Amino acid sequence: MLLHVVLLVLHLLAATFWVGGMAAMYFAARTAAAAVLEPPARLAFMSNALARFFGGVRVAVAVLFLSGIGMYFLVGGFSGVHWRIYAMFGVAVVMVGVFDLARKRPLPALQRAVAASDWKTAADRLNEIRRLVAVNLGLGVAVYAIAIVGRAIN
């Protein structure tokens, strides 16, 4: 029982870091940077902030999957798992794919463009990341809804 509680707390903290971090980046950091920084400084700031955040998300994803799999086995595997667990896992797999795409393609391209002072390309790559984060933020909110509402629906 204690192990399950520890795994659940780790799981929730990792999910909160990822989904809450996306909300903070999308609604606060991005809009504040756009309001007070000129494009070169804004693009350099966002490139740096996203690289740091994505590093944390990599850790959060590992914690999410390890804790989730641990809880899955603690409740008896297939026979002890509610449908919402499968739904959350399915959405999480899609989220990891979207995150991995953002981390491996537009983020390095953004960093290269910032280093080369190619502000047009940097802005385009940042906008691509913004769209991917928006998709993942929506999916993350859906996972929270599935977790909460799914408990009431058998």
Side-chain angles (χ1 to χ4, degrees), residues 79-144:
S79 63
V81 175
H82 191 268
W83 66 266
R84 75 181 185 284
I85 304 304
Y86 295 107
M88 288 187 294
F89 182 75
V91 175
V93 168
V94 173
M95 288 179 70
V96 170
V98 172
F99 164 69
D100 209 41
L101 173 65
R103 183 179 66 85
K104 289 183 177 175
R105 293 181 72 201
L107 181 61
L110 169 62
Q111 292 170 318
R112 286 190 303 273
V114 166
S117 299
D118 180 356
W119 307 122
K120 168 72 170 102
T121 299
D124 290 344
R125 295 300 68 81
L126 183 58
N127 193 45
E128 186 178 351
I129 293 168
R130 179 194 58 78
R131 287 191 306 265
L132 292 170
V133 168
V135 167
N136 255 4
L137 181 55
L139 291 171
V141 169
V143 169
Y144 273 95

Side-chain angles (χ1 to χ4, degrees), residues 58-80:
R58 289 180 71 192
V59 173
V61 167
V63 170
L64 281 164
F65 277 94
L66 291 172
S67 60
I69 289 168
M71 288 185 292
Y72 171 81
F73 284 114
L74 284 176
V75 298
F78 287 108
S79 63

Side-chain angles (χ1 to χ4, degrees), residues 18-69:
W18 189 5
V19 177
M22 287 188 294
M25 291 297 289
Y26 193 88
F27 294 110
R30 180 183 66 87
T31 57
V36 300
L37 299 173
E38 293 300 318
R42 176 176 64 239
L43 292 163
F45 169 79
M46 290 304 297
S47 174
N48 191 284
L50 285 164
R52 291 168 187 262
F53 175 60
F54 282 11
V57 172
R58 289 180 71 192
V59 173
V61 167
V63 170
L64 281 164
F65 277 94
L66 291 172
S67 60
I69 289 168

